[in-house]
Amino acid sequence: HSNQGGEVAEVGGMKLSAILYHEEGSVAVINHRIVRQGDLIGGRKVVSIFKDRVILQDLNGASELKLDPFGAK
């Protein structure tokens, strides 16, 4: 059973499983680790955390991790 179509919650080994969005400082769970804006994970910097996605930056540029809408509870 392959997951075709939809948004990708995993980029380059990074898996986004949750976002706790708050205007004063959001946190995200990537690879079972809680990260905040400015944190480093897997050689990438957490640039921004939005309600439904996280922007990561590395030497190759920015990448976007989106929450899986079917996995969100």
Side-chain angles (χ1 to χ4, degrees):
H1 169 81
S2 65
N3 183 12
Q4 302 232 335
E7 302 295 350
V8 177
E10 190 169 344
V11 172
M14 297 282 159
K15 177 148 180 35
L16 175 63
S17 51
I19 292 175
L20 299 171
Y21 183 82
H22 196 277
E23 289 178 12
E24 293 178 13
S26 301
V27 298
V29 180
I30 300 175
N31 294 359
H32 307 287
R33 243 188 75 195
I34 295 174
V35 295
R36 292 178 167 81
Q37 187 173 338
D39 285 356
L40 290 171
I41 182 163
R44 293 178 172 94
K45 183 176 181 180
V46 179
V47 178
S48 302
I49 300 174
F50 298 100
K51 289 180 182 177
D52 62 344
R53 66 195 189 279
V54 175
I55 309 297
L56 300 172
Q57 178 92 35
D58 65 10
L59 296 174
N60 299 319
S63 54
E64 185 176 89
L65 279 176
K66 291 205 173 193
L67 265 184
D68 182 352
F70 303 108
K73 296 203 167 33

